[in-house]
Amino acid sequence: MPVEFLGIAATNDGSETTARSGAAFDKEYTLRLARAHEDHGWDRVLFAYGSGSPDPSPAAAYIASRLDRLQILLAHRPNVSYPTFAAKTFATLDRISEGRLAVHFITGGNDHEQGREGDTLTKDERYARTREYIRIVKKIWTTHDPFDHEGEHYRFHDFVSDVFPVQQPHPNVSFGGSSPAAYAAGGAEADIYCLWGEPLEKTAEQIEAVKAAAKAAGRTEGPRIQVAFRPIIAPTEELAWEKAHRTVEAIRQRRESGLVRHHHSRAPENAGSQRLIAIAEAGERYDRALWTPTAAATGGAGNSNALVGTPETVAQALLDYYDLGVDILSARGYDLLGDAVDFGRHVIPLVREEVAKRDAERAARGPQTLAAVGE
């Protein structure tokens, strides 16, 4: 099966290790970073969402109108706009990008962060709302006659959109989470299911949970699986580990100096962050290259487990996840621009070459082998 690479479409050069040098939305930097991804073999970039961050939708439109191939994954929280409005926004973006849009729906795992924009629902209520929201958006994308909706969270009458996506039947829907409620919602609705990088054994368990949720929802095929890491690469193993320890120290210093904004909870509320912290407490190194101190240093904040080593080591580690059934690999360094270039030059070609070899070998062995891989 083909492999795809997802990078980050940051709107400034700040990261967990470095303060940004300019405004929150630096138009020139945003374009430079996106172009670096397009020029160095990446398939798509994520425009993330934060309560006080620049709005990702116009930023995505800006990039889509200036680049030719790079695909866009747009993060969206259902609490910030009505689904009728959001569906039109997404369809318009798909038109601007000529069919290069996917939408990542965020339920929200932190009550304080959700409350910053007036969202007071409980976590379970948020998951129910997200499922209803996604279903409405999909229906708007594919329905050319006016319709009514009377749901638990949304009600409207006689609505029909006049703008439809380029992609048929609709752009891909992306979803993430590590709780039973997340598996149920994403297993039922998502085209792509996103996980944070964990040890191979635990990743395999999560993939099976997503598949089981999809089957329980009556789907014959489950979502494609995406897994996210923070690569730390260097020409030798020794240099890579020196770089890794410098990176963790820089993360700690920024947090201790108060330069990183914290949520107002002592422990993370979302299951994904709780899992990352538990994994870090159990050990620093797993499998071929997974390293947890970066996650521990951030309090399990988001995509934070690292893969450390030479490009060859990191490529082989990514292939281990590919062999589990992961075909979208998300990677984001700490020097956003430089690491996007280095990863694109030195890691992506190695992974693509090996995947092509494996696919050719499977094809040569015949249909039975291909069917077994797809199970």
Side-chain angles (χ1 to χ4, degrees):
M1 59 185 175
V3 65
E4 297 180 8
F5 288 90
L6 170 71
I8 191 70
T11 59
N12 61 70
D13 60 357
S15 75
E16 296 93 330
T17 62
T18 309
R20 71 177 191 239
S21 61
F25 180 60
D26 181 335
K27 188 170 71 170
E28 287 72 24
Y29 182 84
T30 301
L31 181 57
R32 264 174 57 215
L33 181 60
R35 185 168 283 137
H37 283 86
E38 181 168 86
D39 290 345
H40 291 89
W42 298 78
D43 296 285
R44 61 173 62 88
V45 289
L46 167 67
F47 280 86
Y49 190 93
S51 60
S53 302
D55 185 351
S57 293
Y62 169 66
I63 293 304
S65 66
R66 284 159 177 79
L67 300 182
D68 299 321
R69 300 182 306 278
L70 193 66
Q71 298 174 56
I72 290 166
L73 179 59
L74 177 70
H76 180 76
R77 288 183 185 167
N79 60 292
V80 301
S81 68
Y82 215 70
T84 50
F85 176 84
K88 294 184 297 180
T89 300
F90 304 147
T92 304
L93 278 169
D94 200 49
R95 288 279 158 187
I96 291 171
S97 68
E98 299 181 327
R100 288 180 282 141
L101 178 74
V103 183
H104 180 68
F105 289 91
I106 303 173
T107 297
N110 182 280
D111 289 345
H112 181 75
E113 169 67 6
Q114 293 301 119
R116 284 173 171 157
E117 294 188 282
D119 187 9
T120 59
L121 297 186
T122 67
K123 187 175 180 180
D124 287 344
E125 289 171 336
R126 293 199 295 267
Y127 273 112
R129 178 182 61 191
T130 300
R131 292 184 72 164
E132 184 178 344
Y133 197 98
I134 293 172
R135 288 169 180 166
I136 292 169
V137 169
K138 287 180 179 178
K139 188 170 183 178
I140 292 170
W141 280 341
T142 56
T143 302
H144 292 258
D145 296 316
F147 68 95
D148 300 339
H149 179 82
E150 293 282 346
E152 181 182 357
H153 297 279
Y154 303 102
R155 296 172 180 83
F156 54 85
H157 304 284
D158 200 39
F159 181 81
V160 63
S161 177
D162 196 33
V163 57
F164 292 90
V166 172
Q167 298 176 80
Q168 295 298 317
H170 56 70
N172 279 334
V173 166
S174 172
F175 191 90
S178 298
S179 67
Y183 299 145
E189 301 296 338
D191 301 297
I192 299 168
Y193 199 96
C194 307
L195 302 169
W196 291 332
E198 295 187 2
L200 290 164
E201 181 181 1
K202 292 188 177 296
T203 300
E205 292 171 358
Q206 290 209 78
I207 292 173
E208 289 306 311
V210 173
K211 287 181 178 179
K215 186 176 181 180
R219 298 177 63 174
T220 56
E221 291 186 11
R224 297 171 66 197
I225 302 296
Q226 172 184 304
V227 177
F229 303 96
R230 307 301 295 270
I232 301 174
I233 61 172
T236 68
E237 295 292 328
E238 181 180 8
L239 289 173
W241 284 104
E242 289 177 2
K243 182 178 177 181
H245 289 289
R246 288 197 307 272
T247 298
V248 166
E249 185 58 30
I251 294 171
R252 289 172 179 156
Q253 287 180 1
R254 287 208 74 210
R255 288 177 67 86
E256 290 169 2
S257 64
L259 295 175
V260 179
R261 191 172 189 178
H262 295 252
H263 293 312
H264 286 199
S265 57
R266 294 185 178 180
E269 300 167 16
N270 62 305
S273 293
Q274 291 168 2
R275 289 173 64 96
L276 293 186
I277 290 173
I279 290 166
E281 290 175 346
E284 288 193 357
R285 296 180 67 169
Y286 292 86
D287 305 320
R288 195 185 300 267
L290 190 74
W291 195 54
T292 66
T294 46
T298 63
N303 170 23
S304 50
N305 269 338
L307 291 177
V308 182
T310 64
E312 292 77 13
T313 296
V314 171
Q316 288 300 319
L318 292 169
L319 287 162
D320 292 337
Y321 289 89
Y322 174 81
D323 290 338
L324 289 182
V326 176
D327 66 341
I328 303 175
L329 299 168
S330 174
R332 171 166 58 101
Y334 293 94
D335 170 9
L336 300 179
L337 183 59
D339 287 345
V341 172
D342 287 346
F343 189 88
R345 283 177 175 166
H346 303 299
V347 178
I348 288 178
L350 296 177
V351 177
R352 290 200 194 280
E353 181 181 3
E354 184 59 32
V355 166
K357 287 180 183 177
R358 295 180 187 196
D359 287 349
E361 291 170 357
R362 288 168 182 156
R365 289 198 292 267
Q368 278 190 322
T369 301
L370 292 175
V373 170
E375 289 177 358

